[in-house]
């Protein structure tokens, strides 16, 4: 299928260029391409209804599968209940090993087409949308007959319209899983009054109504979809899968040893040596007895960025606070910029590293940490940070920046703290680490509350909210 995708793209581009070189305008050059591809796809894709189609579900994201955890969880849940899953998306980051090893899940990679590289910006963007539309339509028409197509939005341009057309032609049920609104993300770059943003909103609102069923991530989004979009949706909160849990001390030590081979903050101080002991900055392993203990005077392990300068000032002013090791995960487009910014700082009590983690190591790291910090601010104010969901699964307390519906996840003074600016965050860090590593202060109380909360996991949540819908229409 990958070869077919490439062929469709090459033919499309070639015909467009040929039309342009012949003197046709871009719109007229694209018209015969659309007709040719549509005829070819329909001729090769339309088939008789497979009597076992109700056991097949296509799970689609027009993005990187490896960086789309919720889509991967959908696929695993469907497989767990005996459905055959075709998982479609870009293969930029390695998916979780459970996805790769699951015999019921077939990963079907598609290319991240870029469009034309010449001409006005609007035409380059339009060509990208058109090329992606052809490729996606071709793939959806060529795969085995499906009972359902479950698509993540955003990104929804052009995926919503293309998937709707394909589902109507093939008789599939079409479900959209709303994570956010795509037009609000575009507005962060272009401004909400930009023509492209207004067009994207119109498109998303129009074609979003054509789905057969809808899921969304918060009650606030469900109400907004109902009130402003005339779309009825079921709230499927992000919940942590079983892999997110508190990490046993032995596994923590093994992770710190591996990370210490690459990242200095995980290594013990050079002036610390102990006979028969394997040391990290956080743990000690007795090689004779096999026992693993936490190091005396260990630093606090904090996940994500924070107000480093203010914390440094607190320590230097005499506050009894631990040193910090701040681990900033992920690989966003501004990572290199922030790495340079970090390298320009000279801290004595704070060490910062930006490791690249395998998918299997990420939950182990979260389960080993002392506090998480979340700086996610929703573009729509209606979605919740999955990072916090994962942290709570590991019983890791969180400090999170305030936005509209955060209260649906973070309960202030119960499982974490909510802040509005860097000064407030700095004060919260000072408060939470004031009795570190003791467990009687707020940090220990928050962790205890998370342990006793009996929080719901992804499987139970999915079985309650999604499985009945799938069974109703696929069985």
């Amino acid at each position: 299928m990958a070869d077919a995708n490439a062929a469709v793209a090459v033919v499309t581009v070639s015909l467009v260029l040929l039309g342009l070189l012949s003197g046709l305008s871009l719109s007229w050059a694209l018209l015969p391409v659309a007709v040719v591809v549509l005829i070819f796809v329909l001729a090769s894709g339309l088939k008789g209804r497979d009597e076992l189609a109700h056991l097949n579900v296509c799970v689609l994201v027009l993005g990187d599968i490896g960086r789309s955890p919720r889509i991967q969880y959908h696929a695993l849940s469907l497989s767990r209940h005996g459905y055959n899953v075709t998982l479609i998306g870009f293969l930029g980051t390695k998916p979780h090993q459970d996805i790769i090893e699951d015999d019921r899940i077939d990963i079907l990679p598609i290319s991240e087409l870029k469009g034309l590289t010449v001409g006005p910006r609007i035409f380059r963007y339009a060509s990208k949308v058109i090329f992606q539309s052809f490729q996606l339509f071709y793939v959806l028409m060529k795969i085995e007959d499906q009972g359902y197509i479950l698509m993540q939005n955003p990104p929804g341009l052009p995926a919503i319209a293309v998937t709707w057309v394909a589902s109507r032609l093939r008789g599939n049920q079409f479900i959209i899983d709303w994570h956010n609104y795509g037009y609000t993300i575009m507005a962060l770059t272009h401004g909400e009054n930009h023509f492209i943003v207004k067009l994207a909103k119109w498109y998303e609102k129009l074609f979003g109504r054509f789905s057969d069923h809808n899921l969304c991530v918060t009650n606030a989004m469900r109400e907004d979809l109902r009130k402003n979009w005339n779309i009825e949706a079921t709230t499927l909160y992000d919940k942590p899968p079983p892999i997110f849990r508190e990490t046993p001390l032995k596994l923590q030590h093994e992770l710190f040893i591996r990370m210490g081979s690459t990242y200095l903050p995980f290594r013990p101080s050079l002036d610390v040596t102990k006979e028969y002991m394997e040391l990290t900055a956080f743990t000690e392993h007795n090689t004779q007895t096999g026992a693993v203990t936490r190091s005396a005077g260990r630093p606090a392990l904090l996940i994500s960025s924070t107000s480093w300068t203010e914390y440094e000032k607190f320590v230097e002013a005499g506050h009894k606070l631990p040193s910090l090791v701040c681990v900033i995960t992920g690989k966003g487009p501004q990572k290199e910029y922030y790495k340079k910014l970090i390298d320009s700082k000279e801290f004595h009590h704070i060490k910062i590293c930006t490791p690249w983690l395998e998918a299997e190591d990420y939950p182990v790291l979260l389960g080993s940490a002392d506090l998480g910090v979340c700086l996610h601010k929703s573009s729509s104010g209606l979605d919740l940070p999955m990072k916090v969901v994962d942290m709570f699964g590991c019983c890791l307390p969180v400090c999170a920046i305030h936005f509209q519906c955060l209260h649906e996840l973070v309960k202030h003074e119960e499982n974490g703290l909510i802040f509005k600016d860097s000064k407030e965050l700095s004060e919260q860090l000072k408060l939470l680490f004031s009795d570190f590593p003791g467990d009687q202060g707020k940090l220990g109380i928050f962790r205890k509350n998370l342990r006793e909360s009996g929080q719901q996991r992804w499987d139970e949540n999915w079985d309650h909210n999604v499985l009945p819908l799938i069974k109703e229409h696929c069985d």
Side-chain angles (χ1 to χ4, degrees):
M1 183 67 78
D3 292 340
N5 294 340
V8 169
V10 170
V11 170
T12 301
V13 174
S14 299
L15 290 175
V16 169
L17 293 176
L18 181 60
L20 293 174
L21 291 174
S22 301
L24 295 176
S25 66
L26 181 63
S27 58
W28 281 107
L30 290 175
L31 182 58
V33 176
V35 174
V36 169
V37 172
L38 183 60
I39 293 173
F40 175 74
V41 170
L42 290 176
S44 60
L46 288 175
K47 305 172 183 176
R49 189 67 175 170
D50 187 342
E51 63 181 14
L52 297 179
H54 64 282
L55 296 176
N56 301 330
V57 180
C58 172
V59 178
L60 165 67
V61 57
L62 200 62
D64 188 347
I65 293 175
R67 299 183 67 185
S68 305
R70 184 171 164 112
I71 279 295
Q72 295 184 73
Y73 300 160
H74 276 303
L76 289 169
S77 293
L78 287 161
S79 173
R80 181 167 54 85
H81 285 282
Y83 293 94
N84 302 309
V85 179
T86 301
L87 181 55
I88 300 176
F90 306 148
L91 269 186
T93 305
K94 178 186 173 185
H96 196 278
Q97 197 63 31
D98 288 347
I99 292 285
I100 296 173
E101 295 177 353
D102 195 311
D103 292 336
R104 290 187 178 274
I105 299 176
D106 179 24
I107 299 176
L108 203 168
I110 55 177
S111 302
E112 189 174 0
L113 303 176
K114 300 298 184 182
L116 298 177
T117 57
V118 295
R121 185 176 181 181
I122 185 67
F123 288 113
R124 297 200 303 268
Y125 183 73
S127 67
K128 176 182 177 180
V129 171
I130 293 169
F131 293 169
Q132 286 183 336
S133 298
F134 286 168
Q135 176 185 218
L136 182 57
F137 187 52
Y138 175 83
V139 170
L140 290 176
M141 295 301 292
K142 290 292 289 183
I143 58 176
E144 291 184 14
D145 205 359
Q146 307 288 314
Y148 248 113
I149 301 178
L150 191 160
M151 190 207 84
Q152 172 183 309
N153 180 65
L157 184 66
I160 298 179
V162 174
T163 304
W164 171 70
V165 172
S167 66
R168 297 293 78 94
L169 288 172
R170 302 202 62 180
N172 313 134
Q173 289 281 307
F174 175 33
I175 183 167
I176 299 177
D177 189 7
W178 298 82
H179 292 209
N180 201 345
Y181 298 148
Y183 79 90
T184 64
I185 298 174
M186 296 176 68
L188 296 176
T189 301
H190 302 290
E192 61 182 23
N193 293 320
H194 194 282
F195 168 74
I196 289 293
V197 175
K198 290 183 176 180
L199 180 64
K201 181 178 181 180
W202 170 85
Y203 161 87
E204 202 167 9
K205 196 169 185 178
L206 173 66
F207 285 96
R209 296 172 182 168
F210 293 167
S211 60
D212 297 297
H213 306 282
N214 297 272
L215 303 172
C216 62
V217 293
T218 64
N219 285 333
M221 180 174 283
R222 183 191 66 194
E223 288 303 306
D224 189 75
L225 285 168
R226 181 188 61 80
K227 182 178 179 181
N228 297 318
W229 297 54
N230 197 28
I231 292 174
E232 295 294 332
T234 298
T235 301
L236 179 70
Y237 282 116
D238 283 319
K239 297 291 182 179
I243 58 173
F244 287 96
R245 60 186 185 276
E246 290 187 84
T247 304
L249 204 52
K250 184 175 183 295
L251 289 181
Q252 290 187 32
H253 180 77
E254 293 172 358
L255 175 66
F256 296 152
I257 287 290
R258 292 198 304 274
M259 297 191 70
S261 64
T262 307
Y263 305 105
L264 290 175
F266 289 86
R267 299 176 188 174
S269 300
L270 295 176
D271 57 351
V272 177
T273 57
K274 294 184 180 181
E275 191 175 9
Y276 305 118
M277 300 294 282
E278 182 183 51
L279 306 177
T280 73
F282 306 92
T283 53
E284 301 178 354
H285 172 223
N286 189 310
T287 57
Q288 289 189 318
T289 66
V292 177
T293 56
R294 300 187 188 278
S295 302
R298 69 182 178 90
L301 179 57
L302 186 145
I303 305 297
S304 188
S305 54
T306 183
S307 303
W308 310 303
T309 302
E310 290 85 350
Y311 189 90
E312 181 89 0
K313 289 178 179 177
F314 286 145
V315 179
E316 292 181 347
H319 293 276
K320 293 184 178 179
L321 297 170
S323 296
L324 286 184
V325 171
C326 298
V327 178
I328 304 173
T329 60
K331 60 171 188 177
Q334 292 187 303
K335 181 173 182 177
E336 290 303 317
Y337 166 79
Y338 285 109
K339 284 181 69 174
K340 292 179 180 178
L341 184 64
I342 291 167
D343 292 341
S344 69
K345 304 290 184 180
E346 293 186 6
F347 296 123
H348 298 96
H349 306 283
I350 300 172
K351 295 179 180 179
I352 303 169
C353 68
T354 56
W356 169 246
L357 296 168
E358 294 292 339
E360 292 74 21
D361 282 338
Y362 179 64
V364 179
L365 178 64
L366 290 190
S368 306
D370 299 296
L371 179 67
V373 173
C374 179
L375 302 179
H376 170 91
K377 295 190 74 172
S378 169
S379 61
S380 65
L382 300 173
D383 70 314
L384 294 171
M386 183 171 279
K387 177 178 288 187
V388 173
V389 173
D390 297 338
M391 290 175 176
F392 283 169
C394 296
C395 297
L396 179 63
V398 168
C399 291
I401 193 166
H402 176 268
F403 64 89
Q404 181 178 331
C405 66
L406 185 63
H407 65 276
E408 292 190 37
L409 178 61
V410 180
K411 311 299 181 185
H412 188 66
E413 293 284 357
E414 181 179 327
N415 54 19
L417 298 173
I418 298 173
F419 61 90
K420 293 184 178 179
D421 53 40
S422 60
K423 182 178 179 180
E424 191 171 6
L425 171 59
S426 302
E427 292 293 339
Q428 291 177 358
L429 294 177
K430 183 174 71 171
L431 171 68
L432 293 175
F433 287 129
S434 59
D435 71 337
F436 185 85
D439 58 3
Q440 300 304 308
K442 281 189 177 293
L443 195 60
I445 293 173
F446 294 162
R447 189 180 290 272
K448 181 173 180 289
N449 290 343
L450 285 166
R451 287 170 178 161
E452 296 176 351
S453 65
Q455 57 182 310
Q456 193 179 50
R457 294 285 172 165
W458 172 267
D459 288 344
E460 180 185 354
N461 183 40
W462 193 93
D463 289 357
H464 178 74
N465 290 291
V466 183
L467 184 60
L469 183 152
I470 299 290
K471 282 185 170 294
E472 178 184 355
H473 294 278
C474 287
D475 289 353

